[in-house]
C-alpha cells in the first residue's frame, strides 16, 4: 500500500485478480459469502427443494388441471379436453332442453361450511385465550406439564377420538344419562349440526391454545403491574396490554382453526351422520359416488383459493399485530 493510499484509507486489490462474475445460477444457489470449512453450498439443497415442490405443488397443479378438463361419458376420470363446465356447475344448471338457470345448492353448501368454520373458530379462540393466559402465568415446570396435557389428543388417531365422541353423544351416552337423571329426558345430539360443531371444536382447540400460549409465555407481567399503578382498569389492562401482546398468537390460532375446519370431512360424516353437508363431504362424493372428477377438482380449487386468501389475510394481520406488540 502506497503512502497516498494509507493517507486516504483505501485499499487496492491486486491487478491479477479478476472481478467475480455472478451468473443467474450462482445468484439463486450460490452463497452470498465465503463458504466456511465444514459447510455445504446452497447447491446441495437443490434435490430437497425439487422433492418438496414435487410433493406440495405437484398435487395442487394436478387438481387445478383436472378442474379444467372434461368429464367422460361413462365412468370416472377425466378427458383431456379443456372445459369450464365444472366451474359453471357451481352456479348454474341445465335442464333437459339445454336451458341454463341459476342454482344456489352448492353455494348453500359453501355457506354451511363457512358458518361452521367461523363458529368453530370463534368458540376455539374464546376458549383458548383464557386457557393460554392461565398457562403462561404458571411456573416453568407447570407450564411444561400443561403443554403436555394440551398435546395429549395428538397421540391418538383422529378417527378414534371422533368415534369416542359418537359414544358420548349417542342416546345411551353419559350426557343423555345425566339428562335423564335430572328429569330432562334424552336429547337427539348425535347426527346433528351440534355434534359436528362439537367435534370440530374438540379437534381444533389445541391449535388455538398453543400459538396463544407461545405468544404469552414470554410476556413480562410487570407491564400489567405498571398499568395498574398508572390507574388502568382491569378491562383496559386486558385489552391494551395483555390482549395486544397475545394478538400474534390469536391471529395464528384463527388461521389454524378456520382453514382446516372449512374443508373438514371426518366430523361432519361421523358426528353429523351425513346430514350436515359440507364442502369436504361434497368433494368426496364427487370423486367416489358421482365419479365427476372435474367437478370435485373444481370444488377443491375453490377451497384452495379461499384458504390461501384466509392465510394471506391472517399473515398480514398477524404481521401488523406483531409490530404493534413490539411497540
Amino acid at each position: 500500500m502506497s503512502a497516498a493510499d494509507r493517507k486516504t484509507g483505501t485499499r487496492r486489490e491486486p491487478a491479477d485478480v479478476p472481478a467475480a462474475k455472478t451468473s443467474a445460477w450462482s445468484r439463486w444457489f450460490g452463497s452470498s459469502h465465503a463458504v466456511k470449512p465444514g459447510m455445504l453450498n446452497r447447491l446441495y439443497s437443490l434435490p430437497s427443494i425439487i422433492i418438496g415442490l414435487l410433493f406440495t405443488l405437484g398435487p395442487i397443479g394436478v387438481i387445478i388441471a383436472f378442474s379444467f378438463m372434461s368429464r367422460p361419458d361413462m365412468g370416472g376420470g377425466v378427458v383431456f379436453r379443456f372445459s369450464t363446465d365444472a366451474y359453471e356447475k357451481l352456479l348454474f344448471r341445465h335442464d333437459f332442453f339445454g336451458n341454463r338457470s341459476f342454482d344456489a345448492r352448492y353455494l348453500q353448501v359453501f355457506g354451511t361450511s363457512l358458518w361452521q368454520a367461523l363458529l368453530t373458530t370463534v368458540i376455539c379462540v374464546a376458549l383458548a385465550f383464557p386457557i393460554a393466559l392461565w398457562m403462561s402465568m404458571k411456573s416453568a415446570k407447570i407450564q411444561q406439564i400443561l403443554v403436555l396435557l394440551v398435546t395429549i389428543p395428538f397421540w391418538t388417531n383422529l378417527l378414534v377420538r371422533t368415534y369416542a365422541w359418537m359414544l358420548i353423544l349417542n342416546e345411551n351416552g353419559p350426557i343423555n344419562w345425566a339428562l335423564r337423571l335430572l328429569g330432562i329426558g334424552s336429547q337427539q345430539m348425535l347426527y346433528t349440526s351440534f355434534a359436528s360443531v362439537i367435534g370440530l371444536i374438540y379437534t381444533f382447540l389445541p391449535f388455538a391454545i398453543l400459538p396463544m400460549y407461545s405468544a404469552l409465555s414470554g410476556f413480562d407481567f410487570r407491564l400489567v403491574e405498571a398499568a395498574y399503578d398508572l390507574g388502568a382498569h382491569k378491562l383496559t389492562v386486558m385489552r391494551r396490554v395483555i390482549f395486544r401482546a397475545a394478538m400474534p398468537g390469536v391471529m395464528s390460532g384463527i388461521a389454524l382453526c378456520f382453514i382446516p375446519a372449512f374443508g373438514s370431512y371426518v366430523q361432519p360424516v361421523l358426528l353429523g351422520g351425513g346430514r350436515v353437508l359440507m364442502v369436504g363431504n361434497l368433494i368426496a362424493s364427487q370423486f367416489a359416488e358421482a365419479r365427476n372428477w372435474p367437478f370435485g377438482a373444481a370444488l377443491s380449487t375453490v377451497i384452495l383459493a379461499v384458504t390461501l386468501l384466509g392465510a394471506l389475510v391472517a399473515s398480514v394481520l398477524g404481521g401488523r399485530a406483531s409490530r404493534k406488540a413490539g411497540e
Side-chain angles (χ1 to χ4, degrees):
M1 183 180 292
S2 63
D5 292 338
R6 286 195 298 270
K7 184 179 293 184
T8 58
T10 59
R11 178 182 179 88
R12 294 181 180 178
E13 298 295 334
D16 57 344
V17 179
K21 295 181 179 180
T22 59
S23 62
W25 180 269
S26 61
R27 284 198 303 269
W28 280 96
F29 299 104
S31 178
S32 59
H33 51 80
V35 179
K36 297 180 181 179
M39 295 181 62
L40 296 177
N41 196 286
R42 293 179 184 176
L43 184 62
Y44 290 92
S45 64
L46 184 59
S48 300
I49 294 175
I50 294 175
I51 294 175
L53 293 176
L54 181 64
F55 285 96
T56 53
L57 299 181
I60 295 175
V62 171
I63 289 297
I64 295 175
F66 276 13
S67 67
F68 290 99
M69 299 297 175
S70 300
R71 181 184 182 184
D73 296 332
M74 295 182 61
V78 296
V79 176
F80 294 96
R81 184 175 63 251
F82 180 82
S83 175
T84 58
D85 292 342
Y87 291 97
E88 291 182 7
K89 189 177 180 180
L90 287 171
L91 300 175
F92 303 99
R93 63 177 174 180
H94 296 81
D95 58 15
F96 183 76
F97 300 99
N99 299 320
R100 188 173 68 173
S101 60
F102 179 74
D103 187 7
R105 291 178 299 170
Y106 299 115
L107 292 180
Q108 292 175 358
V109 175
F110 275 93
T112 302
S113 302
L114 182 63
W115 164 246
Q116 291 218 354
L118 287 174
L119 183 61
T120 300
T121 303
V122 170
I123 295 177
C124 285
V125 171
L127 294 176
F129 180 75
I131 296 175
L133 179 60
W134 174 72
M135 290 172 59
S136 64
M137 297 174 66
K138 299 298 180 182
S139 62
K141 189 173 183 179
I142 299 298
Q143 288 183 25
Q144 294 177 358
I145 298 175
L146 294 175
V147 170
L148 180 65
L149 293 177
V150 171
T151 58
I152 281 180
F154 298 129
W155 300 2
T156 309
N157 188 274
L158 178 61
L159 285 175
V160 176
R161 289 181 279 150
T162 305
Y163 276 114
W165 272 105
M166 293 178 66
L167 298 176
I168 294 173
L169 296 175
N170 67 12
E171 187 177 355
N172 298 319
I175 296 180
N176 273 320
W177 175 82
L179 292 177
R180 287 193 297 267
L181 192 65
L182 295 173
I184 300 176
S186 299
Q187 303 293 324
Q188 178 63 33
M189 292 180 289
L190 191 60
Y191 305 139
T192 60
S193 298
F194 170 78
S196 178
V197 172
I198 289 294
L200 291 173
I201 293 172
Y202 168 77
T203 302
F204 298 114
L205 182 59
F207 292 98
I209 294 175
L210 293 177
M212 294 185 197
Y213 163 75
S214 178
L216 290 171
S217 59
F219 178 69
D220 189 358
F221 283 93
R222 289 179 298 181
L223 296 175
V224 176
E225 298 177 1
Y228 282 132
D229 293 339
L230 293 173
H233 298 286
K234 291 183 178 180
L235 292 178
T236 304
V237 172
M238 180 65 67
R239 178 174 56 89
R240 302 193 62 179
V241 180
I242 299 177
F243 191 75
R244 188 174 182 177
M247 186 56 67
V250 172
M251 298 309 303
S252 299
I254 290 174
L256 291 174
C257 290
F258 175 79
I259 292 175
F262 183 71
S264 60
Y265 171 75
V266 175
Q267 296 84 2
V269 169
L270 296 181
L271 297 177
R275 300 178 183 178
V276 182
L277 184 59
M278 295 181 65
V279 181
N281 313 53
L282 184 59
I283 293 174
S285 65
Q286 294 302 316
F287 278 99
E289 291 87 3
R291 308 296 294 275
N292 192 347
W293 289 21
F295 185 55
L299 292 171
S300 303
T301 304
V302 173
I303 287 184
L304 177 64
V306 172
T307 53
L308 286 178
L309 180 61
L312 179 62
V313 172
S315 177
V316 172
L317 295 179
R320 292 179 180 176
S322 298
R323 290 191 293 271
K324 289 182 179 180
E327 294 172 358

